[in-house]
Each structure stands twice: as C-alpha cells, then as structure tokens.
Amino acid sequence: MTIDGSGKIDISIPRKDVAFFADMVWILGPDAVIEEPPEAREWITRRLEAMHRQYAELTPESR
C-alpha cells in the first residue's frame, strides 16, 4: 500500500477459485480493477448485469 492509500495485489489463483477472489475484489468497489484472468473479469461483468436487471425492475418506470 502506498501513502495515498492505493496499492496493488499481484497473485496467482487457481481457476477453481476465480469466483471467490472476484467476489473479494467486488467488495472493494469501483476503484478495484481485475486485470486478469478473463474469467474473473467475466464473472464481475455477469454480476453487474444481474444487478442491473434486478434494480431496473424496481424503477418507477417499470411499475
């Protein structure tokens, strides 16, 4: 971690644990970036799409 609070984690993870680690990054919010593996980025994208669908259904326009 740097003095400004930023930092970088560079680790290798087993493919079977991609969702677990992507979920950990999800908790860090929009400032966190997964560079690779592509499976982790795809997992985050699918989760965002699912949340968008869920919350889009709750908008006043959809009632």
Side-chain angles (χ1 to χ4, degrees), residues 3-31:
I3 197 159
D4 69 358
S6 64
K8 181 178 180 178
I9 300 171
D10 186 3
I11 62 170
S12 295
I13 58 171
R15 292 210 185 274
K16 68 179 181 66
D17 295 332
V18 165
F20 173 79
F21 283 96
D23 200 32
M24 290 179 67
V25 172
W26 175 270
I27 292 168
L28 298 174
D31 292 329

PDB file of all heavy atoms in Angstrom, residues 3-31:
ATOM      1  N   ILE A   3       1.361   5.593   0.331  1.00  0.00           N
ATOM      2  CA  ILE A   3       0.962   6.619   1.291  1.00  0.00           C
ATOM      3  C   ILE A   3      -0.414   7.213   0.968  1.00  0.00           C
ATOM      4  O   ILE A   3      -1.128   7.661   1.853  1.00  0.00           O
ATOM      5  CB  ILE A   3       2.040   7.718   1.406  1.00  0.00           C
ATOM      6  CG1 ILE A   3       1.832   8.515   2.660  1.00  0.00           C
ATOM      7  CG2 ILE A   3       2.074   8.585   0.173  1.00  0.00           C
ATOM      8  CD1 ILE A   3       3.045   9.259   3.126  1.00  0.00           C
ATOM      9  N   ASP A   4      -0.789   7.208  -0.317  1.00  0.00           N
ATOM     10  CA  ASP A   4      -2.104   7.760  -0.690  1.00  0.00           C
ATOM     11  C   ASP A   4      -3.240   6.748  -0.523  1.00  0.00           C
ATOM     12  O   ASP A   4      -4.375   7.016  -0.859  1.00  0.00           O
ATOM     13  CB  ASP A   4      -2.081   8.320  -2.109  1.00  0.00           C
ATOM     14  CG  ASP A   4      -1.939   7.254  -3.187  1.00  0.00           C
ATOM     15  OD1 ASP A   4      -1.815   6.058  -2.851  1.00  0.00           O
ATOM     16  OD2 ASP A   4      -1.950   7.625  -4.371  1.00  0.00           O
ATOM     17  N   GLY A   5      -2.919   5.562  -0.015  1.00  0.00           N
ATOM     18  CA  GLY A   5      -3.939   4.552   0.232  1.00  0.00           C
ATOM     19  C   GLY A   5      -4.157   3.595  -0.920  1.00  0.00           C
ATOM     20  O   GLY A   5      -4.924   2.650  -0.804  1.00  0.00           O
ATOM     21  N   SER A   6      -3.501   3.842  -2.041  1.00  0.00           N
ATOM     22  CA  SER A   6      -3.649   2.935  -3.173  1.00  0.00           C
ATOM     23  C   SER A   6      -2.686   1.769  -3.018  1.00  0.00           C
ATOM     24  O   SER A   6      -1.800   1.779  -2.164  1.00  0.00           O
ATOM     25  CB  SER A   6      -3.380   3.666  -4.491  1.00  0.00           C
ATOM     26  OG  SER A   6      -2.036   4.098  -4.546  1.00  0.00           O
ATOM     27  N   GLY A   7      -2.854   0.775  -3.836  1.00  0.00           N
ATOM     28  CA  GLY A   7      -1.973  -0.379  -3.779  1.00  0.00           C
ATOM     29  C   GLY A   7      -2.283  -1.344  -4.897  1.00  0.00           C
ATOM     30  O   GLY A   7      -3.179  -1.124  -5.707  1.00  0.00           O
ATOM     31  N   LYS A   8      -1.513  -2.397  -4.939  1.00  0.00           N
ATOM     32  CA  LYS A   8      -1.690  -3.405  -5.974  1.00  0.00           C
ATOM     33  C   LYS A   8      -1.416  -4.763  -5.362  1.00  0.00           C
ATOM     34  O   LYS A   8      -0.493  -4.928  -4.568  1.00  0.00           O
ATOM     35  CB  LYS A   8      -0.714  -3.149  -7.129  1.00  0.00           C
ATOM     36  CG  LYS A   8      -0.843  -4.148  -8.254  1.00  0.00           C
ATOM     37  CD  LYS A   8       0.104  -3.807  -9.381  1.00  0.00           C
ATOM     38  CE  LYS A   8      -0.047  -4.823 -10.496  1.00  0.00           C
ATOM     39  NZ  LYS A   8       0.819  -4.505 -11.633  1.00  0.00           N
ATOM     40  N   ILE A   9      -2.243  -5.718  -5.731  1.00  0.00           N
ATOM     41  CA  ILE A   9      -2.051  -7.106  -5.313  1.00  0.00           C
ATOM     42  C   ILE A   9      -1.812  -7.911  -6.576  1.00  0.00           C
ATOM     43  O   ILE A   9      -2.613  -7.862  -7.507  1.00  0.00           O
ATOM     44  CB  ILE A   9      -3.277  -7.650  -4.563  1.00  0.00           C
ATOM     45  CG1 ILE A   9      -3.549  -6.829  -3.311  1.00  0.00           C
ATOM     46  CG2 ILE A   9      -3.078  -9.122  -4.228  1.00  0.00           C
ATOM     47  CD1 ILE A   9      -4.850  -7.166  -2.623  1.00  0.00           C
ATOM     48  N   ASP A  10      -0.735  -8.629  -6.612  1.00  0.00           N
ATOM     49  CA  ASP A  10      -0.394  -9.445  -7.779  1.00  0.00           C
ATOM     50  C   ASP A  10      -0.244 -10.882  -7.291  1.00  0.00           C
ATOM     51  O   ASP A  10       0.756 -11.228  -6.676  1.00  0.00           O
ATOM     52  CB  ASP A  10       0.898  -8.945  -8.409  1.00  0.00           C
ATOM     53  CG  ASP A  10       1.233  -9.651  -9.704  1.00  0.00           C
ATOM     54  OD1 ASP A  10       0.437 -10.500 -10.164  1.00  0.00           O
ATOM     55  OD2 ASP A  10       2.296  -9.357 -10.265  1.00  0.00           O
ATOM     56  N   ILE A  11      -1.299 -11.677  -7.532  1.00  0.00           N
ATOM     57  CA  ILE A  11      -1.277 -13.067  -7.077  1.00  0.00           C
ATOM     58  C   ILE A  11      -1.747 -13.988  -8.193  1.00  0.00           C
ATOM     59  O   ILE A  11      -2.412 -13.553  -9.128  1.00  0.00           O
ATOM     60  CB  ILE A  11      -2.169 -13.283  -5.826  1.00  0.00           C
ATOM     61  CG1 ILE A  11      -3.634 -12.960  -6.142  1.00  0.00           C
ATOM     62  CG2 ILE A  11      -1.665 -12.482  -4.651  1.00  0.00           C
ATOM     63  CD1 ILE A  11      -4.605 -13.367  -5.054  1.00  0.00           C
ATOM     64  N   SER A  12      -1.398 -15.224  -8.077  1.00  0.00           N
ATOM     65  CA  SER A  12      -1.915 -16.262  -8.967  1.00  0.00           C
ATOM     66  C   SER A  12      -2.973 -17.038  -8.201  1.00  0.00           C
ATOM     67  O   SER A  12      -2.770 -17.377  -7.034  1.00  0.00           O
ATOM     68  CB  SER A  12      -0.799 -17.210  -9.397  1.00  0.00           C
ATOM     69  OG  SER A  12       0.153 -16.531 -10.170  1.00  0.00           O
ATOM     70  N   ILE A  13      -4.084 -17.292  -8.865  1.00  0.00           N
ATOM     71  CA  ILE A  13      -5.155 -18.040  -8.210  1.00  0.00           C
ATOM     72  C   ILE A  13      -5.545 -19.224  -9.081  1.00  0.00           C
ATOM     73  O   ILE A  13      -5.507 -19.145 -10.301  1.00  0.00           O
ATOM     74  CB  ILE A  13      -6.390 -17.159  -7.932  1.00  0.00           C
ATOM     75  CG1 ILE A  13      -6.941 -16.559  -9.227  1.00  0.00           C
ATOM     76  CG2 ILE A  13      -6.070 -16.073  -6.946  1.00  0.00           C
ATOM     77  CD1 ILE A  13      -8.265 -15.870  -9.075  1.00  0.00           C
ATOM     78  N   PRO A  14      -5.931 -20.311  -8.444  1.00  0.00           N
ATOM     79  CA  PRO A  14      -6.406 -21.467  -9.209  1.00  0.00           C
ATOM     80  C   PRO A  14      -7.722 -21.127  -9.910  1.00  0.00           C
ATOM     81  O   PRO A  14      -8.560 -20.397  -9.374  1.00  0.00           O
ATOM     82  CB  PRO A  14      -6.638 -22.545  -8.150  1.00  0.00           C
ATOM     83  CG  PRO A  14      -5.931 -22.077  -6.927  1.00  0.00           C
ATOM     84  CD  PRO A  14      -5.872 -20.591  -7.015  1.00  0.00           C
ATOM     85  N   ARG A  15      -7.914 -21.634 -11.105  1.00  0.00           N
ATOM     86  CA  ARG A  15      -9.141 -21.364 -11.864  1.00  0.00           C
ATOM     87  C   ARG A  15     -10.392 -21.713 -11.062  1.00  0.00           C
ATOM     88  O   ARG A  15     -11.405 -21.049 -11.177  1.00  0.00           O
ATOM     89  CB  ARG A  15      -9.137 -22.114 -13.179  1.00  0.00           C
ATOM     90  CG  ARG A  15      -8.086 -21.579 -14.126  1.00  0.00           C
ATOM     91  CD  ARG A  15      -8.507 -21.763 -15.571  1.00  0.00           C
ATOM     92  NE  ARG A  15      -7.462 -21.366 -16.473  1.00  0.00           N
ATOM     93  CZ  ARG A  15      -7.267 -20.123 -16.908  1.00  0.00           C
ATOM     94  NH1 ARG A  15      -8.048 -19.176 -16.473  1.00  0.00           N
ATOM     95  NH2 ARG A  15      -6.299 -19.850 -17.745  1.00  0.00           N
ATOM     96  N   LYS A  16     -10.315 -22.749 -10.246  1.00  0.00           N
ATOM     97  CA  LYS A  16     -11.488 -23.155  -9.476  1.00  0.00           C
ATOM     98  C   LYS A  16     -11.882 -22.107  -8.433  1.00  0.00           C
ATOM     99  O   LYS A  16     -13.007 -22.113  -7.946  1.00  0.00           O
ATOM    100  CB  LYS A  16     -11.255 -24.508  -8.810  1.00  0.00           C
ATOM    101  CG  LYS A  16     -10.203 -24.500  -7.714  1.00  0.00           C
ATOM    102  CD  LYS A  16     -10.062 -25.886  -7.095  1.00  0.00           C
ATOM    103  CE  LYS A  16      -9.040 -25.894  -5.985  1.00  0.00           C
ATOM    104  NZ  LYS A  16      -9.398 -25.118  -4.818  1.00  0.00           N
ATOM    105  N   ASP A  17     -10.983 -21.182  -8.113  1.00  0.00           N
ATOM    106  CA  ASP A  17     -11.253 -20.168  -7.097  1.00  0.00           C
ATOM    107  C   ASP A  17     -11.513 -18.781  -7.667  1.00  0.00           C
ATOM    108  O   ASP A  17     -11.561 -17.798  -6.929  1.00  0.00           O
ATOM    109  CB  ASP A  17     -10.074 -20.092  -6.114  1.00  0.00           C
ATOM    110  CG  ASP A  17      -9.905 -21.363  -5.306  1.00  0.00           C
ATOM    111  OD1 ASP A  17     -10.910 -22.067  -5.086  1.00  0.00           O
ATOM    112  OD2 ASP A  17      -8.775 -21.658  -4.893  1.00  0.00           O
ATOM    113  N   VAL A  18     -11.689 -18.678  -8.986  1.00  0.00           N
ATOM    114  CA  VAL A  18     -11.874 -17.373  -9.627  1.00  0.00           C
ATOM    115  C   VAL A  18     -13.055 -16.618  -9.026  1.00  0.00           C
ATOM    116  O   VAL A  18     -12.937 -15.443  -8.685  1.00  0.00           O
ATOM    117  CB  VAL A  18     -12.032 -17.529 -11.157  1.00  0.00           C
ATOM    118  CG1 VAL A  18     -12.586 -16.265 -11.781  1.00  0.00           C
ATOM    119  CG2 VAL A  18     -10.700 -17.886 -11.782  1.00  0.00           C
ATOM    120  N   ALA A  19     -14.196 -17.256  -8.878  1.00  0.00           N
ATOM    121  CA  ALA A  19     -15.382 -16.568  -8.348  1.00  0.00           C
ATOM    122  C   ALA A  19     -15.136 -16.070  -6.925  1.00  0.00           C
ATOM    123  O   ALA A  19     -15.531 -14.958  -6.577  1.00  0.00           O
ATOM    124  CB  ALA A  19     -16.599 -17.478  -8.389  1.00  0.00           C
ATOM    125  N   PHE A  20     -14.465 -16.857  -6.112  1.00  0.00           N
ATOM    126  CA  PHE A  20     -14.175 -16.457  -4.733  1.00  0.00           C
ATOM    127  C   PHE A  20     -13.343 -15.178  -4.710  1.00  0.00           C
ATOM    128  O   PHE A  20     -13.673 -14.215  -4.007  1.00  0.00           O
ATOM    129  CB  PHE A  20     -13.449 -17.585  -3.998  1.00  0.00           C
ATOM    130  CG  PHE A  20     -12.979 -17.192  -2.632  1.00  0.00           C
ATOM    131  CD1 PHE A  20     -13.861 -17.156  -1.565  1.00  0.00           C
ATOM    132  CD2 PHE A  20     -11.656 -16.840  -2.413  1.00  0.00           C
ATOM    133  CE1 PHE A  20     -13.429 -16.781  -0.305  1.00  0.00           C
ATOM    134  CE2 PHE A  20     -11.216 -16.466  -1.156  1.00  0.00           C
ATOM    135  CZ  PHE A  20     -12.108 -16.433  -0.099  1.00  0.00           C
ATOM    136  N   PHE A  21     -12.269 -15.138  -5.485  1.00  0.00           N
ATOM    137  CA  PHE A  21     -11.396 -13.968  -5.472  1.00  0.00           C
ATOM    138  C   PHE A  21     -12.039 -12.775  -6.177  1.00  0.00           C
ATOM    139  O   PHE A  21     -11.856 -11.632  -5.762  1.00  0.00           O
ATOM    140  CB  PHE A  21     -10.028 -14.304  -6.071  1.00  0.00           C
ATOM    141  CG  PHE A  21      -9.170 -15.079  -5.111  1.00  0.00           C
ATOM    142  CD1 PHE A  21      -9.105 -16.455  -5.179  1.00  0.00           C
ATOM    143  CD2 PHE A  21      -8.453 -14.435  -4.123  1.00  0.00           C
ATOM    144  CE1 PHE A  21      -8.334 -17.182  -4.281  1.00  0.00           C
ATOM    145  CE2 PHE A  21      -7.679 -15.140  -3.215  1.00  0.00           C
ATOM    146  CZ  PHE A  21      -7.622 -16.518  -3.299  1.00  0.00           C
ATOM    147  N   ALA A  22     -12.801 -13.007  -7.224  1.00  0.00           N
ATOM    148  CA  ALA A  22     -13.510 -11.913  -7.883  1.00  0.00           C
ATOM    149  C   ALA A  22     -14.517 -11.297  -6.925  1.00  0.00           C
ATOM    150  O   ALA A  22     -14.697 -10.075  -6.898  1.00  0.00           O
ATOM    151  CB  ALA A  22     -14.195 -12.403  -9.155  1.00  0.00           C
ATOM    152  N   ASP A  23     -15.147 -12.129  -6.106  1.00  0.00           N
ATOM    153  CA  ASP A  23     -16.085 -11.626  -5.108  1.00  0.00           C
ATOM    154  C   ASP A  23     -15.362 -10.758  -4.082  1.00  0.00           C
ATOM    155  O   ASP A  23     -15.893  -9.739  -3.641  1.00  0.00           O
ATOM    156  CB  ASP A  23     -16.791 -12.793  -4.425  1.00  0.00           C
ATOM    157  CG  ASP A  23     -18.085 -12.379  -3.747  1.00  0.00           C
ATOM    158  OD1 ASP A  23     -18.748 -11.452  -4.260  1.00  0.00           O
ATOM    159  OD2 ASP A  23     -18.432 -12.975  -2.728  1.00  0.00           O
ATOM    160  N   MET A  24     -14.159 -11.123  -3.716  1.00  0.00           N
ATOM    161  CA  MET A  24     -13.375 -10.308  -2.782  1.00  0.00           C
ATOM    162  C   MET A  24     -13.085  -8.934  -3.385  1.00  0.00           C
ATOM    163  O   MET A  24     -13.156  -7.912  -2.701  1.00  0.00           O
ATOM    164  CB  MET A  24     -12.080 -11.019  -2.403  1.00  0.00           C
ATOM    165  CG  MET A  24     -12.296 -12.243  -1.529  1.00  0.00           C
ATOM    166  SD  MET A  24     -10.762 -13.081  -1.103  1.00  0.00           S
ATOM    167  CE  MET A  24      -9.996 -11.858  -0.060  1.00  0.00           C
ATOM    168  N   VAL A  25     -12.756  -8.906  -4.665  1.00  0.00           N
ATOM    169  CA  VAL A  25     -12.488  -7.631  -5.339  1.00  0.00           C
ATOM    170  C   VAL A  25     -13.767  -6.818  -5.446  1.00  0.00           C
ATOM    171  O   VAL A  25     -13.764  -5.592  -5.287  1.00  0.00           O
ATOM    172  CB  VAL A  25     -11.842  -7.870  -6.722  1.00  0.00           C
ATOM    173  CG1 VAL A  25     -11.732  -6.578  -7.499  1.00  0.00           C
ATOM    174  CG2 VAL A  25     -10.478  -8.519  -6.570  1.00  0.00           C
ATOM    175  N   TRP A  26     -14.891  -7.477  -5.688  1.00  0.00           N
ATOM    176  CA  TRP A  26     -16.197  -6.809  -5.766  1.00  0.00           C
ATOM    177  C   TRP A  26     -16.441  -5.982  -4.507  1.00  0.00           C
ATOM    178  O   TRP A  26     -16.922  -4.852  -4.580  1.00  0.00           O
ATOM    179  CB  TRP A  26     -17.274  -7.870  -5.945  1.00  0.00           C
ATOM    180  CG  TRP A  26     -18.670  -7.349  -5.932  1.00  0.00           C
ATOM    181  CD1 TRP A  26     -19.480  -7.203  -4.844  1.00  0.00           C
ATOM    182  CD2 TRP A  26     -19.418  -6.897  -7.056  1.00  0.00           C
ATOM    183  NE1 TRP A  26     -20.692  -6.702  -5.231  1.00  0.00           N
ATOM    184  CE2 TRP A  26     -20.686  -6.498  -6.580  1.00  0.00           C
ATOM    185  CE3 TRP A  26     -19.148  -6.800  -8.411  1.00  0.00           C
ATOM    186  CZ2 TRP A  26     -21.669  -6.006  -7.412  1.00  0.00           C
ATOM    187  CZ3 TRP A  26     -20.139  -6.319  -9.245  1.00  0.00           C
ATOM    188  CH2 TRP A  26     -21.379  -5.921  -8.746  1.00  0.00           C
ATOM    189  N   ILE A  27     -16.098  -6.533  -3.365  1.00  0.00           N
ATOM    190  CA  ILE A  27     -16.307  -5.846  -2.086  1.00  0.00           C
ATOM    191  C   ILE A  27     -15.526  -4.537  -2.025  1.00  0.00           C
ATOM    192  O   ILE A  27     -15.953  -3.586  -1.381  1.00  0.00           O
ATOM    193  CB  ILE A  27     -15.930  -6.787  -0.920  1.00  0.00           C
ATOM    194  CG1 ILE A  27     -16.923  -7.942  -0.845  1.00  0.00           C
ATOM    195  CG2 ILE A  27     -15.878  -6.048   0.415  1.00  0.00           C
ATOM    196  CD1 ILE A  27     -16.496  -9.073   0.071  1.00  0.00           C
ATOM    197  N   LEU A  28     -14.398  -4.461  -2.723  1.00  0.00           N
ATOM    198  CA  LEU A  28     -13.567  -3.253  -2.701  1.00  0.00           C
ATOM    199  C   LEU A  28     -14.172  -2.102  -3.488  1.00  0.00           C
ATOM    200  O   LEU A  28     -13.753  -0.961  -3.341  1.00  0.00           O
ATOM    201  CB  LEU A  28     -12.168  -3.572  -3.236  1.00  0.00           C
ATOM    202  CG  LEU A  28     -11.392  -4.605  -2.423  1.00  0.00           C
ATOM    203  CD1 LEU A  28     -10.093  -4.947  -3.134  1.00  0.00           C
ATOM    204  CD2 LEU A  28     -11.138  -4.105  -1.006  1.00  0.00           C
ATOM    205  N   GLY A  29     -15.147  -2.390  -4.329  1.00  0.00           N
ATOM    206  CA  GLY A  29     -15.856  -1.333  -5.039  1.00  0.00           C
ATOM    207  C   GLY A  29     -15.236  -0.950  -6.367  1.00  0.00           C
ATOM    208  O   GLY A  29     -14.346  -1.616  -6.884  1.00  0.00           O
ATOM    209  N   PRO A  30     -15.704   0.179  -6.925  1.00  0.00           N
ATOM    210  CA  PRO A  30     -15.333   0.559  -8.282  1.00  0.00           C
ATOM    211  C   PRO A  30     -13.874   0.981  -8.461  1.00  0.00           C
ATOM    212  O   PRO A  30     -13.400   1.076  -9.585  1.00  0.00           O
ATOM    213  CB  PRO A  30     -16.281   1.717  -8.610  1.00  0.00           C
ATOM    214  CG  PRO A  30     -16.675   2.268  -7.287  1.00  0.00           C
ATOM    215  CD  PRO A  30     -16.662   1.098  -6.338  1.00  0.00           C
ATOM    216  N   ASP A  31     -13.168   1.238  -7.393  1.00  0.00           N
ATOM    217  CA  ASP A  31     -11.752   1.607  -7.523  1.00  0.00           C
ATOM    218  C   ASP A  31     -10.857   0.395  -7.741  1.00  0.00           C
ATOM    219  O   ASP A  31      -9.700   0.540  -8.143  1.00  0.00           O
ATOM    220  CB  ASP A  31     -11.274   2.382  -6.294  1.00  0.00           C
ATOM    221  CG  ASP A  31     -11.933   3.753  -6.198  1.00  0.00           C
ATOM    222  OD1 ASP A  31     -12.252   4.327  -7.251  1.00  0.00           O
ATOM    223  OD2 ASP A  31     -12.126   4.248  -5.080  1.00  0.00           O
TER     224      ASP A  31
END
